[in-house]
Amino acid sequence: MSAILVSQEAGVLTVTLNRPEKLNAFNPEMHRELRRALERADDDAEVRALLLTGAGRAFCAGQDLAERDVSPGAAPIDLSVSIGSYYNPLARRLRALPKPIVCAVNGVAAGAGANIALACDLVLAARSASFVQSFSKIGLVPDSGGTYFLPRLVGTARAMGLALLGEKLSAEDAERWGLIWKVVDDENLLPGATTLARALAAGPTKGYGLLKKALYASPGNSLDAQLDLERDLQREAGFSEDYREGVSAFMQKRAPRFKGK
Ligand code: T3D
């Protein structure tokens, strides 16, 4: 059985984490398959949006802890190897993908599973889903970008509470706190996320990629630097076919037909 399921329709590459009996916890195989899927999303011009979700009752429980030998006498584990080889490249790849990523959090998202969801562009969660920074429960530090995303999304006070206490945050509170885009009823999660991803896939892909770049660069930039970046990215966007189409469609009072070019 593959650790992920991949399908492509209407410009959307749907990737489903597929270790439901393990709450879709990460193992090296899942990391490798996910990396290949993200490379495909990047390389294939027919793919204009990505949808990430999980099979079964969980979105992802983070690292598969059964893979770590912590028995008495076992050698110390250098976790920087796993973080450097798998989790950091994954968070970077998600952030750098020049196409929109919708994450449909179908159930609990814990540890790296929670933070990988936060690395996506639009996070939708089922009403029954939850987010857990479970790292402190096992003596670890939030990873996969958690210490970067959390304070920026919800402020340091709430980030600290989530990280120190490792308690479940309901999807509704996650939406109220500004951690995610939207909560939807469980039965509407996949249909809603698919509709959203298809709408994005029919949009001005180049412009979306550039706006991701601008927004994600913003927290590290001064206003001056950000204004310069906006100027440069707008220059690039203005050279796109989709910009010409967008303006023409507006002037002609018709719906635009974007090609992602
Ligand atoms: O090692 C490195 O590479 C470093 C990088 C680390 C990145 C990380 O993600 S560290 C954090 C790892 N994840 C966790 O600590 C989460 C552990 N899981 C939980 O806290 C809970 O299971 C959940 C909050 C996710 C869900 O709770 P609940 O009550 O809905 O389910 P449960 O009963 O706890 O779990 C169901 C089964 O899944 C259970 O197995 P069993 O008893 O039915 O055979 C449980 O052991 C298993 N499971 C859940 N999470 C993991 C897991 N098995 C392995 N690894 C897991 N992460």
Side-chain angles (χ1 to χ4, degrees):
M1 189 170 78
S2 297
I4 65 168
L5 303 173
V6 180
S7 63
Q8 189 172 332
E9 206 181 331
V12 178
L13 191 76
T14 299
V15 174
T16 305
L17 306 178
N18 190 39
R19 302 184 74 219
E21 73 293 349
K22 290 282 200 170
L23 305 190
N24 301 319
F26 280 105
N27 64 0
E29 191 192 355
M30 192 157 96
H31 275 294
R32 282 192 290 270
E33 291 182 18
L34 192 49
R35 188 186 62 214
R36 281 197 290 274
L38 291 175
E39 283 167 357
R40 171 173 164 188
D42 203 353
D43 294 344
D44 186 345
E46 298 294 309
V47 175
R48 291 169 62 188
L50 183 78
L51 172 56
L52 179 64
T53 191
R57 76 171 176 92
F59 172 69
C60 174
Q63 169 63 35
D64 186 338
L65 297 175
E67 301 243 323
R68 300 284 173 254
D69 181 2
V70 291
S71 56
I77 306 169
D78 180 352
L79 295 181
S80 74
V81 176
S82 160
I83 301 296
S85 317
Y86 294 126
Y87 291 99
N88 283 356
L90 173 55
R92 288 194 175 106
R93 229 172 236 122
L94 290 167
R95 279 284 154 136
L97 189 77
K99 301 172 184 180
I101 307 176
V102 175
C103 183
V105 179
N106 51 298
V108 65
N115 295 334
I116 288 307
L118 299 182
C120 298
D121 304 317
L122 279 179
V123 185
L124 257 63
R127 205 167 294 283
S128 65
S130 55
F131 296 81
V132 201
Q133 295 295 320
S134 45
F135 305 90
S136 60
K137 300 277 189 196
I138 56 169
L140 293 186
V141 176
D143 59 28
S144 309
T147 61
Y148 180 92
F149 303 135
L150 288 169
R152 284 170 171 78
L153 289 166
V154 299
T156 305
R158 283 173 160 167
M160 193 59 89
L162 290 172
L164 278 178
L165 304 177
E167 291 172 354
K168 275 189 183 175
L169 183 74
S170 69
E172 284 174 356
D173 281 343
E175 183 197 67
R176 205 164 45 80
W177 286 16
L179 188 70
I180 63 168
W181 172 241
K182 226 168 229 168
V183 179
V184 296
D185 290 334
D186 288 21
E187 62 276 18
N188 292 337
L189 179 71
L190 259 195
T194 303
T195 302
L196 189 59
R198 285 186 182 182
L200 290 166
T205 314
K206 264 199 156 177
Y208 288 156
L210 297 170
L211 81 79
K212 278 182 66 164
K213 221 184 229 182
L215 279 174
Y216 291 146
S218 172
N221 272 346
S222 63
L223 174 60
D224 272 345
Q226 193 67 16
L227 287 170
D228 287 350
L229 179 63
E230 287 178 4
R231 177 202 57 212
D232 295 345
L233 296 176
Q234 200 70 299
R235 177 172 190 272
E236 226 179 298
F239 289 143
S240 70
E241 283 182 29
D242 284 341
Y243 164 66
R244 302 179 84 87
E245 167 61 9
V247 175
S248 304
F250 177 79
M251 296 310 292
Q252 294 162 17
K253 300 192 187 301
R254 62 169 174 82
R257 290 180 294 270
F258 293 121
K259 294 187 184 139
K261 293 181 180 164

